[in-house]
């Protein structure tokens, strides 16, 4: 949980999960006690485990056991807890050669620990024998992040697309030590991708696609100068242990060449939403393909499949948009506006300026 999140969001999460203890930094002890109440044990970072005693039995969990819960927004802004199993984390860290790390790599960790991107920034390097360069500033400017990349000799940079674009525009020299730059969470700017590849031709630039419900990344594409010149960068192809399929309004596979809702199947599909059976049933559905078992996740994104097997983004099936890497439900914003005194009706649209 990010202590800088909105107080009402933190209070909701604290009441939504059956927590047995909380780990908190020394400077947040009073805030944590106010949030969790007097009954919940608090373990202070730097003090936890310092009382000695015999070590407990080692923990173990099967692949279907929950590994973590990450909260995302709902239609009216109510958070939903995405329950990710151990199989999803291990598949992300150990079975994705296109974005793999290893001993000798240093991975940038600049995102809040409470977002799905932090899994890529922490779990993947540590499970792969790589190091993590932590940006400790609560609010990290471009200069602070760029300085951390240079000081630690960072070789892998996972980004949300917005921060990636800003770094290319304003601190492109910070990529000097980077061999692999992975950006996702929104549409990648082709002109800025071209600028990065021209300045640092030896870098591998990967466009990554995947919601929290499929453990961060499900499709990837290594961007080439030709992609950048074409003006539109594809979502890519499905990673190992995952499958992408396009479904129509009837939730059946569409014919070859048609646009459909993108659905993801495979090892990284979440277990569902914590204590939200109706919401879970709406978007985690049985695989509709004959001979296939398990669940697929309905992303709400529309896509087309190219003859070469790559997928292109074709908009949303609903009115959800991405703003600064966060999901925003336009219907929910309109609903809140209509409840304001003196407001009879409201219409909300996302307006974007042309990419630089």
């Amino acid at each position: 949980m990010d202590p800088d999140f909105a107080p009402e969001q933190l209070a909701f999460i604290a009441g939504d999960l059956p927590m047995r203890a909380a780990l908190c930094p020394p400077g947040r002890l009073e805030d944590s006690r106010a949030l969790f109440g007097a009954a919940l044990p608090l373990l202070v970072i730097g003090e936890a485990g310092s009382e000695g005693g015999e070590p407990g039995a080692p923990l173990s969990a099967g692949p279907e056991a929950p590994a973590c819960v990450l909260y995302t927004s709902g239609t009216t802004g109510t958070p939903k807890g995405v329950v990710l199993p151990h199989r999803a984390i291990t598949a992300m860290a150990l079975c994705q050669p296109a974005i793999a790390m290893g001993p000798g790599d240093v991975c940038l960790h600049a995102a809040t620990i409470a977002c799905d991107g932090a899994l890529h920034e922490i779990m993947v390097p540590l499970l792969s024998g790589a190091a993590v360069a932590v940006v400790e500033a609560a609010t990290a400017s471009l200069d602070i992040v760029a300085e951390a990349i240079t000081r630690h000799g960072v070789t892998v940079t996972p980004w949300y697309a917005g921060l990636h674009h800003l770094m290319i525009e304003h601190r492109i020299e910070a990529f000097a030590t980077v061999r692999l730059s992975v950006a996702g969470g929104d549409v990648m700017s082709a002109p800025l991708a071209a600028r990065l590849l021209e300045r640092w031709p030896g870098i591998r630039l990967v466009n990554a696609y995947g919601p929290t419900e499929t453990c961060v990344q499900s499709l990837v594409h290594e961007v080439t100068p030709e992609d950048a010149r074409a003006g539109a960068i594809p979502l890519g192809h499905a990673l190992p242990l995952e499958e992408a399929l396009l479904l129509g309004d009837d939730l059946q596979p569409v014919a070859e060449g048609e646009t459909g809702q993108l659905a993801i199947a495979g090892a990284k599909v979440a277990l569902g939403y914590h204590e939200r059976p109706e919401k879970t049933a709406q978007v985690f559905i049985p695989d509709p393909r004959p001979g296939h078992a398990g669940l697929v996740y309905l992303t709400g994104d529309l896509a087309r499949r190219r003859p070469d097997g790559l997928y292109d983004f074709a908009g949303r099936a609903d009115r959800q948009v991405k703003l600064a890497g966060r999901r925003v439900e336009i219907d929910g914003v309109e609903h809140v506006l209509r409840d304001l005194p003196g407001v009879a009706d409201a219409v909300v649209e996302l307006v974007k300026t042309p990419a630089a």
Side-chain angles (χ1 to χ4, degrees):
M1 298 171 66
D2 189 330
D4 292 321
F5 278 7
E8 59 269 20
Q9 185 175 15
L10 294 175
F12 175 87
I13 296 172
D16 192 52
L17 285 174
M19 301 183 190
R20 290 190 292 175
L23 185 69
C24 68
R28 294 283 186 171
L29 186 58
E30 187 174 329
D31 294 340
S32 299
R33 179 58 64 208
L35 178 65
F36 295 112
L40 192 74
L42 293 182
L43 308 175
V44 182
I45 295 173
E47 299 177 12
S50 60
E51 297 178 357
E54 294 297 321
L59 298 176
S60 62
E64 294 299 317
C68 63
V69 181
L70 293 174
Y71 277 80
T72 185
S73 63
T75 301
T76 60
T78 302
K80 301 190 297 290
V82 180
V83 185
L84 291 170
H86 282 268
R87 59 167 161 76
I89 306 295
T90 53
M92 175 184 66
L94 304 177
C95 303
Q96 300 186 9
I99 51 176
M101 307 177 207
D105 275 320
V106 179
C107 181
L108 178 70
H109 172 37
T112 168
I113 197 171
C115 71
D116 59 1
L119 294 177
H120 189 202
E121 297 177 357
I122 299 173
M123 293 295 190
V124 175
L126 294 184
L127 289 174
S128 305
V132 180
V134 181
V135 178
E136 297 188 62
T139 303
S141 66
L142 290 177
D143 290 340
I144 290 174
V145 176
E147 190 275 333
I149 294 173
T150 302
R151 174 160 48 92
H152 295 294
V154 167
T155 61
V156 180
T157 52
W159 308 94
Y160 284 107
L163 182 58
H164 185 241
H165 294 158
L166 289 172
M167 191 63 71
I168 295 172
E169 285 185 294
H170 300 289
R171 294 297 303 269
I172 197 170
E173 71 279 3
F175 290 86
T177 62
V178 177
R179 69 165 186 86
L180 171 63
S181 187
V182 183
D186 210 335
V187 178
M188 180 181 287
S189 164
L192 291 177
R195 189 184 304 183
L196 178 63
L197 293 174
E198 181 179 0
R199 177 65 181 85
W200 300 108
I203 201 170
R204 289 184 58 231
L205 175 59
V206 173
N207 186 35
Y209 168 87
T212 306
E213 289 86 346
T214 62
C215 200
V216 192
Q217 294 115 357
S218 293
L219 284 77
V220 298
H221 176 69
E222 184 167 347
V223 182
T224 66
E226 291 73 23
D227 292 323
R229 286 194 292 269
I233 297 171
L235 298 178
H237 58 80
L239 286 160
L241 304 184
E242 296 185 80
E243 293 181 276
L245 55 150
L246 299 179
L247 303 179
D249 293 339
D250 59 355
L251 298 182
Q252 294 299 310
V254 302
E256 190 70 27
E258 292 186 0
T259 297
Q261 181 177 180
L262 183 60
I264 305 296
K268 289 169 67 226
V269 174
L271 298 175
Y273 299 121
H274 173 67
E275 298 295 334
R276 302 287 191 280
E278 292 183 1
K279 291 285 187 183
T280 297
Q282 288 173 6
V283 293
F284 294 90
I285 67 168
D287 195 318
R289 297 171 297 175
H292 288 76
L295 298 178
V296 303
Y297 172 68
L298 303 176
T299 66
D301 290 324
L302 300 176
R304 301 182 199 88
R305 190 172 186 269
R306 296 182 180 183
D308 60 6
L310 296 176
Y311 288 84
D312 285 324
F313 180 66
R316 285 288 299 178
D318 54 24
R319 299 187 69 210
Q320 184 188 92
V321 298
K322 279 287 188 72
L323 187 62
R326 293 179 67 86
R327 303 180 191 184
V328 178
E329 300 284 355
I330 287 181
D331 290 340
V333 178
E334 291 178 347
H335 174 77
V336 172
L337 290 174
R338 292 187 187 107
D339 281 346
L340 294 175
V343 176
D345 204 350
V347 176
V348 176
E349 294 290 342
L350 179 69
V351 178
K352 290 188 174 183
T353 57

